[in-house]
Amino acid sequence: MALLVGRIIIGALLALAGWMKVSDIASTIGFFAQIGFPAFLAYFVAYAELIAGIFVVLGLWTRKSSMLLAIIMIVAVWVTRAGGPQMFGYPLALFAGCLILSAVGSGMFAFKP
């Protein structure tokens, strides 16, 4: 049950973050440009967080989705590192959760393709 609860929370948080990026993609592109990333990465990250987050909640392709999200979160940690633990703590916690999910999978309460 703990794996199910953790998977739902991590997936939902990332899907929500992706939805916020997708729903205001112009601001997302502007932020990515401000930190030196090209616009196509803004689209990629926004849709990857949204879709992979939903997959994690459902337990579909959890290992692959979580590994993709872990890579995105480690970049987020790197980008926010100068702001101290208050800034990089959230993406670091999500990175840890995604890394764990990529190692253990979705558990028994998941949709299996």
Side-chain angles (χ1 to χ4, degrees):
M1 288 307 283
L3 182 57
L4 173 65
V5 171
R7 194 183 82 223
I8 290 171
I9 290 170
I10 290 167
L13 287 171
L14 285 160
L16 178 61
W19 175 252
M20 289 190 303
K21 288 177 180 75
V22 167
S23 65
D24 191 7
I25 198 68
S27 293
T28 303
I29 292 169
F31 174 73
F32 273 61
Q34 184 180 3
I35 60 174
F37 290 160
F40 80 90
L41 280 180
Y43 285 100
F44 175 78
V45 168
Y47 283 100
E49 285 181 359
L50 176 61
I51 295 167
I54 292 169
F55 283 169
V56 168
V57 167
L58 297 175
L60 291 169
W61 304 290
T62 301
R63 290 178 191 258
K64 292 176 184 175
S65 298
S66 296
M67 185 52 68
L68 173 63
L69 292 167
I71 292 167
I72 292 170
M73 288 300 103
I74 203 65
V75 173
V77 169
W78 179 258
V79 168
T80 59
R81 72 191 185 285
Q86 296 87 356
M87 289 297 291
F88 71 76
Y90 182 69
L92 183 62
L94 288 173
F95 165 74
C98 288
L99 191 62
I100 291 167
L101 287 173
S102 70
V104 300
S106 59
M108 58 189 278
F109 299 108
F111 293 99
K112 305 287 182 177

Coordinates of all heavy atoms in Angstrom, one line a residue, residues 38-90:
P38 N 16.7 25.9 -24.8 CA 15.9 26.2 -26.0 C 14.4 25.9 -25.8 O 14.0 25.1 -25.0 CB 16.5 25.2 -27.1 CG 17.2 24.2 -26.4 CD 17.6 24.7 -25.0
A39 N 13.6 26.5 -26.7 CA 12.1 26.3 -26.6 C 11.6 24.9 -26.7 O 10.7 24.5 -26.0 CB 11.4 27.2 -27.6
F40 N 12.3 24.1 -27.6 CA 11.8 22.7 -27.7 C 11.9 21.9 -26.4 O 11.1 21.0 -26.2 CB 12.5 22.0 -28.9 CG 13.9 21.5 -28.5 CD1 14.0 20.2 -28.0 CD2 15.0 22.3 -28.7 CE1 15.3 19.7 -27.7 CE2 16.3 21.8 -28.5 CZ 16.4 20.5 -27.9
L41 N 12.9 22.3 -25.6 CA 13.0 21.6 -24.3 C 11.8 21.9 -23.4 O 11.4 21.1 -22.5 CB 14.3 21.9 -23.6 CG 15.5 21.1 -24.1 CD1 16.7 21.5 -23.3 CD2 15.3 19.6 -23.9
A42 N 11.3 23.2 -23.5 CA 10.1 23.5 -22.7 C 8.9 22.7 -23.0 O 8.2 22.2 -22.2 CB 9.8 25.0 -22.9
Y43 N 8.7 22.5 -24.3 CA 7.6 21.6 -24.8 C 7.9 20.2 -24.3 O 7.0 19.5 -23.8 CB 7.5 21.6 -26.3 CG 6.9 22.8 -26.9 CD1 7.6 23.9 -27.4 CD2 5.5 23.0 -26.8 CE1 7.1 25.0 -27.9 CE2 4.9 24.1 -27.4 CZ 5.7 25.1 -27.9 OH 5.1 26.3 -28.4
F44 N 9.1 19.7 -24.5 CA 9.4 18.3 -24.1 C 9.2 18.1 -22.6 O 8.5 17.1 -22.2 CB 10.9 18.0 -24.5 CG 11.3 16.6 -24.0 CD1 10.9 15.5 -24.7 CD2 12.0 16.4 -22.8 CE1 11.2 14.2 -24.2 CE2 12.4 15.2 -22.4 CZ 12.0 14.1 -23.1
V45 N 9.7 19.0 -21.8 CA 9.6 18.8 -20.3 C 8.1 18.9 -19.9 O 7.7 18.1 -19.1 CB 10.5 19.8 -19.6 CG1 10.2 19.9 -18.1 CG2 12.0 19.5 -19.8
A46 N 7.4 19.9 -20.4 CA 6.0 20.1 -20.0 C 5.2 18.8 -20.3 O 4.5 18.3 -19.5 CB 5.4 21.3 -20.8
Y47 N 5.3 18.3 -21.6 CA 4.5 17.2 -21.9 C 5.0 15.9 -21.3 O 4.2 15.0 -21.0 CB 4.4 17.1 -23.5 CG 3.4 18.0 -24.0 CD1 3.8 19.2 -24.6 CD2 2.0 17.8 -23.9 CE1 2.9 20.1 -25.1 CE2 1.1 18.7 -24.4 CZ 1.5 19.9 -25.0 OH 0.6 20.8 -25.5
A48 N 6.3 15.8 -21.1 CA 6.9 14.6 -20.4 C 6.4 14.5 -19.0 O 6.0 13.4 -18.5 CB 8.4 14.6 -20.5
E49 N 6.4 15.6 -18.3 CA 5.9 15.6 -16.9 C 4.5 15.3 -16.8 O 4.0 14.5 -16.0 CB 6.2 17.0 -16.2 CG 7.6 17.2 -15.8 CD 7.8 18.6 -15.1 OE1 6.8 19.4 -15.0 OE2 9.0 18.9 -14.8
L50 N 3.7 15.9 -17.7 CA 2.2 15.6 -17.7 C 1.9 14.1 -18.1 O 1.3 13.4 -17.3 CB 1.5 16.5 -18.8 CG 0.0 16.3 -19.0 CD1 -0.7 16.5 -17.7 CD2 -0.5 17.2 -20.1
I51 N 2.5 13.6 -19.2 CA 2.1 12.3 -19.6 C 2.8 11.2 -18.7 O 2.1 10.3 -18.3 CB 2.5 12.1 -21.1 CG1 1.7 13.0 -22.0 CG2 2.4 10.6 -21.5 CD1 2.2 13.2 -23.4
A52 N 4.1 11.4 -18.4 CA 4.8 10.4 -17.6 C 4.2 10.4 -16.2 O 4.1 9.4 -15.5 CB 6.3 10.6 -17.6
G53 N 3.8 11.6 -15.7 CA 3.2 11.6 -14.4 C 1.9 10.9 -14.3 O 1.6 10.2 -13.4
I54 N 1.1 11.0 -15.4 CA -0.2 10.2 -15.4 C 0.1 8.7 -15.5 O -0.5 7.9 -14.8 CB -1.0 10.7 -16.6 CG1 -1.5 12.1 -16.4 CG2 -2.2 9.7 -16.9 CD1 -2.2 12.8 -17.6
F55 N 1.1 8.4 -16.3 CA 1.5 6.9 -16.4 C 2.0 6.4 -15.0 O 1.6 5.3 -14.6 CB 2.7 6.7 -17.4 CG 2.3 6.8 -18.8 CD1 3.2 6.8 -19.8 CD2 0.9 6.8 -19.2 CE1 2.9 6.9 -21.1 CE2 0.6 6.8 -20.5 CZ 1.5 6.8 -21.5
V56 N 2.7 7.2 -14.3 CA 3.1 6.8 -12.9 C 1.9 6.6 -12.0 O 1.8 5.6 -11.3 CB 4.1 7.8 -12.3 CG1 4.4 7.5 -10.9 CG2 5.5 7.7 -13.1
V57 N 1.0 7.5 -12.0 CA -0.2 7.4 -11.2 C -0.9 6.1 -11.5 O -1.4 5.3 -10.7 CB -1.2 8.6 -11.4 CG1 -2.5 8.3 -10.8 CG2 -0.6 9.8 -10.8
L58 N -1.1 5.8 -12.8 CA -1.8 4.6 -13.3 C -1.0 3.3 -13.1 O -1.5 2.2 -13.1 CB -2.2 4.7 -14.7 CG -3.2 5.9 -15.0 CD1 -3.5 6.0 -16.5 CD2 -4.5 5.7 -14.2
G59 N 0.3 3.4 -13.0 CA 1.2 2.3 -12.9 C 1.5 1.7 -14.3 O 1.9 0.5 -14.4
L60 N 1.4 2.5 -15.3 CA 1.7 2.1 -16.7 C 3.2 2.5 -17.0 O 3.5 3.7 -16.8 CB 0.8 2.8 -17.7 CG -0.6 2.3 -17.7 CD1 -1.5 3.3 -18.6 CD2 -0.7 0.9 -18.2
W61 N 4.0 1.5 -17.4 CA 5.4 1.8 -17.8 C 6.1 2.6 -16.7 O 6.8 3.6 -17.0 CB 5.5 2.5 -19.1 CG 4.8 1.7 -20.2 CD1 5.2 0.5 -20.8 CD2 3.6 2.1 -20.9 NE1 4.3 0.1 -21.7 CE2 3.3 1.0 -21.8 CE3 2.7 3.1 -20.8 CZ2 2.2 1.0 -22.6 CZ3 1.5 3.1 -21.6 CH2 1.3 2.1 -22.5
T62 N 5.8 2.2 -15.5 CA 6.3 3.0 -14.3 C 7.8 3.2 -14.3 O 8.3 4.2 -14.0 CB 5.8 2.4 -13.0 OG1 4.4 2.3 -13.0 CG2 6.3 3.2 -11.8
R63 N 8.5 2.1 -14.6 CA 10.0 2.2 -14.5 C 10.6 3.2 -15.5 O 11.4 4.0 -15.2 CB 10.6 0.8 -14.7 CG 10.4 -0.1 -13.5 CD 11.0 -1.5 -13.8 NE 10.7 -2.5 -12.8 CZ 11.4 -2.9 -11.8 NH1 12.6 -2.4 -11.7 NH2 11.0 -3.8 -11.0
K64 N 10.1 3.1 -16.8 CA 10.6 3.9 -17.8 C 10.1 5.4 -17.6 O 10.9 6.3 -17.7 CB 10.1 3.5 -19.2 CG 10.7 2.2 -19.6 CD 10.2 1.6 -20.9 CE 10.8 0.3 -21.2 NZ 10.2 -0.3 -22.4
S65 N 8.9 5.6 -17.2 CA 8.3 6.9 -17.0 C 9.1 7.6 -15.8 O 9.4 8.7 -15.9 CB 6.8 6.8 -16.7 OG 6.1 6.3 -17.8
S66 N 9.3 6.8 -14.7 CA 10.0 7.3 -13.6 C 11.4 7.7 -13.9 O 12.0 8.7 -13.3 CB 9.9 6.3 -12.4 OG 8.6 6.1 -12.0
M67 N 12.1 6.9 -14.7 CA 13.5 7.2 -15.1 C 13.5 8.5 -15.9 O 14.4 9.3 -15.6 CB 14.1 6.1 -15.8 CG 15.6 6.3 -16.1 SD 16.6 6.7 -14.7 CE 16.6 5.2 -13.8
L68 N 12.6 8.7 -16.8 CA 12.6 9.9 -17.5 C 12.3 11.1 -16.6 O 13.0 12.1 -16.7 CB 11.4 9.9 -18.6 CG 11.2 11.2 -19.4 CD1 12.4 11.6 -20.2 CD2 9.9 11.0 -20.2
L69 N 11.4 11.0 -15.7 CA 11.1 12.0 -14.7 C 12.3 12.3 -13.8 O 12.5 13.4 -13.4 CB 9.8 11.7 -13.9 CG 8.5 11.7 -14.8 CD1 7.4 11.1 -14.0 CD2 8.2 13.1 -15.2
A70 N 13.0 11.2 -13.4 CA 14.2 11.4 -12.6 C 15.2 12.2 -13.3 O 15.9 13.1 -12.6 CB 14.7 10.0 -12.1
I71 N 15.4 12.0 -14.5 CA 16.4 12.8 -15.3 C 16.0 14.3 -15.3 O 16.8 15.2 -15.1 CB 16.6 12.2 -16.7 CG1 17.2 10.8 -16.6 CG2 17.3 13.2 -17.6 CD1 17.2 10.0 -17.9
I72 N 14.7 14.5 -15.6 CA 14.2 15.9 -15.6 C 14.4 16.5 -14.2 O 14.8 17.7 -14.1 CB 12.7 15.9 -16.0 CG1 12.6 15.5 -17.5 CG2 12.1 17.3 -15.8 CD1 11.1 15.3 -18.0
M73 N 14.1 15.8 -13.2 CA 14.2 16.3 -11.8 C 15.7 16.6 -11.4 O 16.0 17.6 -10.7 CB 13.6 15.4 -10.8 CG 12.1 15.4 -10.8 SD 11.4 17.0 -10.5 CE 10.9 17.5 -12.2
I74 N 16.6 15.8 -11.9 CA 18.0 16.0 -11.5 C 18.5 17.3 -12.3 O 19.3 18.1 -11.7 CB 19.0 14.8 -11.8 CG1 20.2 14.9 -11.0 CG2 19.3 14.7 -13.2 CD1 20.0 14.8 -9.5
V75 N 18.0 17.6 -13.5 CA 18.3 18.8 -14.1 C 17.7 20.0 -13.4 O 18.3 21.0 -13.2 CB 17.9 18.8 -15.6 CG1 18.0 20.2 -16.3 CG2 18.6 17.7 -16.4
A76 N 16.5 19.8 -12.9 CA 15.8 20.8 -12.1 C 16.6 21.1 -10.8 O 16.7 22.3 -10.4 CB 14.4 20.4 -11.7
V77 N 17.1 20.1 -10.2 CA 18.0 20.3 -9.0 C 19.2 21.1 -9.4 O 19.6 22.1 -8.7 CB 18.4 19.0 -8.4 CG1 19.5 19.2 -7.3 CG2 17.2 18.2 -7.8
W78 N 19.8 20.8 -10.5 CA 21.0 21.5 -10.9 C 20.7 23.0 -11.2 O 21.4 23.9 -10.8 CB 21.6 20.9 -12.2 CG 22.8 21.6 -12.7 CD1 22.9 22.4 -13.8 CD2 24.1 21.5 -12.2 NE1 24.1 22.9 -13.9 CE2 24.9 22.3 -13.0 CE3 24.7 20.8 -11.1 CZ2 26.3 22.5 -12.7 CZ3 26.0 21.0 -10.9 CH2 26.8 21.8 -11.7
V79 N 19.6 23.3 -11.9 CA 19.2 24.6 -12.2 C 18.9 25.4 -11.0 O 19.2 26.6 -10.9 CB 18.0 24.6 -13.2 CG1 17.4 26.0 -13.3 CG2 18.4 24.1 -14.5
T80 N 18.3 24.8 -10.0 CA 17.8 25.6 -8.8 C 18.9 25.5 -7.6 O 18.6 26.1 -6.5 CB 16.5 25.0 -8.3 OG1 16.6 23.6 -8.0 CG2 15.4 25.2 -9.3
R81 N 20.0 24.9 -7.8 CA 21.0 24.7 -6.7 C 21.4 25.9 -6.1 O 21.7 26.0 -4.9 CB 22.1 23.9 -7.2 CG 23.1 24.6 -8.1 CD 24.1 23.8 -8.8 NE 25.0 24.5 -9.6 CZ 24.8 25.1 -10.8 NH1 23.6 25.0 -11.3 NH2 25.7 25.8 -11.4
A82 N 21.5 27.0 -6.8 CA 22.0 28.3 -6.2 C 21.1 28.9 -5.2 O 21.5 29.7 -4.4 CB 22.3 29.3 -7.3
G83 N 19.8 28.5 -5.3 CA 18.8 29.0 -4.4 C 18.8 28.4 -3.0 O 18.0 28.8 -2.1
G84 N 19.6 27.4 -2.8 CA 19.7 26.7 -1.5 C 18.7 25.6 -1.4 O 17.9 25.4 -2.3
P85 N 18.6 25.0 -0.2 CA 17.7 23.9 0.0 C 16.2 24.2 -0.2 O 15.4 23.4 -0.6 CB 18.0 23.4 1.4 CG 19.3 24.0 1.7 CD 19.5 25.2 0.9
Q86 N 15.9 25.5 0.0 CA 14.5 25.9 -0.1 C 14.1 25.8 -1.6 O 12.9 25.5 -1.9 CB 14.2 27.3 0.3 CG 14.4 27.5 1.8 CD 15.9 27.8 2.2 OE1 16.7 27.8 1.3 NE2 16.1 28.1 3.4
M87 N 15.0 26.0 -2.5 CA 14.7 25.9 -3.9 C 14.9 24.5 -4.5 O 14.1 24.1 -5.3 CB 15.6 26.9 -4.7 CG 15.3 28.3 -4.5 SD 13.6 28.8 -5.1 CE 13.9 28.7 -6.8
F88 N 16.0 23.8 -4.2 CA 16.3 22.6 -4.8 C 15.7 21.4 -4.0 O 15.7 20.2 -4.5 CB 17.7 22.4 -5.1 CG 18.6 22.1 -3.9 CD1 18.7 20.9 -3.3 CD2 19.5 23.1 -3.5 CE1 19.5 20.7 -2.2 CE2 20.3 22.9 -2.4 CZ 20.3 21.7 -1.8
G89 N 15.2 21.6 -2.8 CA 14.6 20.5 -2.0 C 13.5 19.8 -2.7 O 13.4 18.6 -2.6
Y90 N 12.5 20.5 -3.2 CA 11.4 19.9 -3.9 C 11.7 19.0 -5.0 O 11.3 17.9 -5.1 CB 10.4 21.0 -4.2 CG 9.1 20.5 -4.8 CD1 8.1 19.8 -4.1 CD2 8.8 20.8 -6.2 CE1 7.0 19.4 -4.6 CE2 7.6 20.3 -6.7 CZ 6.7 19.6 -6.0 OH 5.5 19.2 -6.5

